[in-house]
Amino acid sequence: MELIIYEMLYIIGLGLGDERDITLKGLDAVKKCEKVYIEAYTSLLSFGLSTDGLSTLEKLYGKPIILADREMVEEKVDNILSEARGSDVAFLVVGDPFGATTHTDLVVRAKTMRVDVNVVHNASVMNAIGICGLQLYRYGETVSIPFFTETWRPDSFYEKIERNRNLGLHTLCLLDICVKEPTLESLCRGRKQYEPPRFMTINTAIDQLLEVEQKHGKSAYDEDTNCVGFARLGSEDQMIVAGTMRQLRTVNFGEPLHCLVIVGKTHPVEDEMLEFYKITTENPEQKGNGIP
């Protein structure tokens, strides 16, 4: 009987830090693939996606890497899936493959086209935030905080935070990333030009959160609400600071990526761990680099 070998689409998590965070299973898969794409709009590795950053990945993985921006994934994904019908193709994702709904859609479309999929998991922000001591099973619904504009100030996240707070649950706030966003002027002209990349800071997120609270006035949170700010989570220079919104909005968290947790009702063990990261008079920018 003839042995039939099916080609595969590998969706591979890269973890949070740098090129070395890929798993051995993921690295084996990358090395066997004819084409390797890397998704570049839901998150970034700590060194970013500069030319040097891609070269670093290519050197370790031994393969050329194709940058897959939002336009390619959302409009031309069928081309990638068609390639996976005739050869092994890798799609690299920062964090874990299912940390963003886009990648769930990719799996659904692959299965619809009868393309076999193999997922290789890795660490993501969804579990790495546990380093601050807040227990993962005491989190409510995660929310995304988008950049406000003069004419667009969405606040649907407010009700979710309010619901979490009423239940005593913590809330992970994922902060906006704008990579390769077309300018309004270029859209009007039909010729795409792109805005410079922008990454929301914890400071901006808190400003927007407080603006929305002032608008709704339901006391879901205020300037004295305890939070934890994370910068470059999973990298060697990660920064973790616990304090009130008022305190955190004055801290310089440095380079992206940032995320924020609004603290709910805490257990004594959680309080004990948070103490290691709290802002103090002696150290107003307490930095947490690993488990204290």
Side-chain angles (χ1 to χ4, degrees):
M1 182 181 293
E2 182 181 357
L3 179 63
I4 300 176
I5 300 176
Y6 293 97
E7 310 307 338
M8 186 78 65
L9 172 68
Y10 290 89
I11 305 180
I12 301 168
L14 296 181
L16 296 172
D18 57 30
E19 72 282 357
R20 297 168 298 170
D21 281 353
I22 192 170
T23 65
L24 291 176
K25 183 183 290 185
L27 186 58
D28 288 342
V30 167
K31 289 184 174 180
K32 69 179 289 189
C33 289
E34 290 191 23
K35 277 198 172 181
V36 181
Y37 294 87
I38 184 167
E39 178 265 304
Y41 57 88
T42 63
S43 191
L44 298 175
L45 288 173
S46 60
F47 55 74
L49 286 176
S50 62
T51 302
D52 291 342
L54 279 178
S55 298
T56 303
L57 289 173
E58 290 174 336
K59 183 177 179 180
L60 177 63
Y61 303 158
K63 298 278 183 177
I65 297 174
I66 303 166
L67 198 62
D69 58 22
R70 184 184 297 275
E71 182 178 324
M72 175 183 286
V73 176
E74 294 183 350
E75 298 178 13
K76 303 176 183 178
V77 66
D78 287 352
N79 295 340
I80 298 174
L81 296 177
S82 295
E83 291 171 348
R85 280 177 161 173
S87 62
D88 289 323
V89 173
F91 189 81
L92 309 182
V93 177
V94 177
D96 184 82
F98 293 116
T101 54
T102 298
H103 310 127
T104 304
D105 181 65
L106 180 61
V107 172
V108 170
R109 296 181 71 166
K111 290 184 177 296
T112 301
M113 293 178 63
R114 299 185 182 280
V115 173
D116 288 331
V117 178
N118 190 318
V119 176
V120 182
H121 293 285
N122 210 319
S124 79
V125 64
M126 304 297 287
N127 64 300
I129 53 173
I131 191 173
C132 74
L134 296 176
Q135 297 164 7
L136 294 179
Y137 60 82
R138 296 173 65 89
Y139 278 78
E141 186 174 356
T142 297
V143 302
S144 296
I145 312 294
F147 276 114
F148 285 175
T149 68
E150 290 299 321
T151 57
W152 189 65
R153 307 179 92 73
D155 58 6
S156 59
F157 54 80
Y158 182 82
E159 289 185 2
K160 297 175 183 178
I161 296 172
E162 181 188 22
R163 185 162 57 246
N164 288 346
R165 296 274 293 166
N166 288 339
L167 293 171
L169 302 175
H170 314 309
T171 305
L172 170 61
C173 301
L174 300 177
L175 309 188
D176 206 357
I177 297 172
C178 295
V179 178
K180 204 173 181 182
E181 295 285 336
T183 64
L184 181 60
E185 183 180 357
S186 70
L187 289 175
C188 294
R189 292 180 176 179
R191 182 179 177 182
K192 287 188 177 178
Q193 292 181 318
Y194 300 99
E195 300 278 4
R198 290 192 301 154
F199 307 96
M200 183 180 288
T201 64
I202 290 165
N203 320 79
T204 296
I206 291 174
D207 287 342
Q208 293 189 180
L209 283 163
L210 292 173
E211 177 185 321
V212 171
E213 171 57 52
Q214 188 173 26
K215 172 185 173 183
H216 287 271
K218 295 182 179 180
S219 300
Y221 51 81
D222 57 32
E223 287 186 324
D224 295 318
T225 297
N226 287 320
C227 296
V228 185
F230 302 82
R232 301 168 301 283
L233 188 58
S235 65
E236 292 184 1
D237 69 337
Q238 70 181 6
M239 185 172 175
I240 306 168
V241 183
T244 65
M245 284 191 175
R246 180 186 290 107
Q247 291 173 319
L248 295 191
R249 72 195 303 192
T250 66
V251 175
N252 179 7
F253 283 89
E255 295 297 310
L257 296 173
H258 296 182
C259 66
L260 178 72
V261 169
I262 301 173
V263 179
K265 185 178 180 180
T266 53
H267 184 277
V269 174
E270 293 177 301
D271 290 330
E272 186 176 3
M273 187 77 165
L274 282 177
E275 283 295 325
F276 289 105
Y277 299 108
K278 279 192 175 178
I279 294 176
T280 64
T281 304
E282 295 78 19
N283 189 4
E285 293 192 11
Q286 170 71 36
K287 295 184 179 181
N289 294 299
I291 298 175

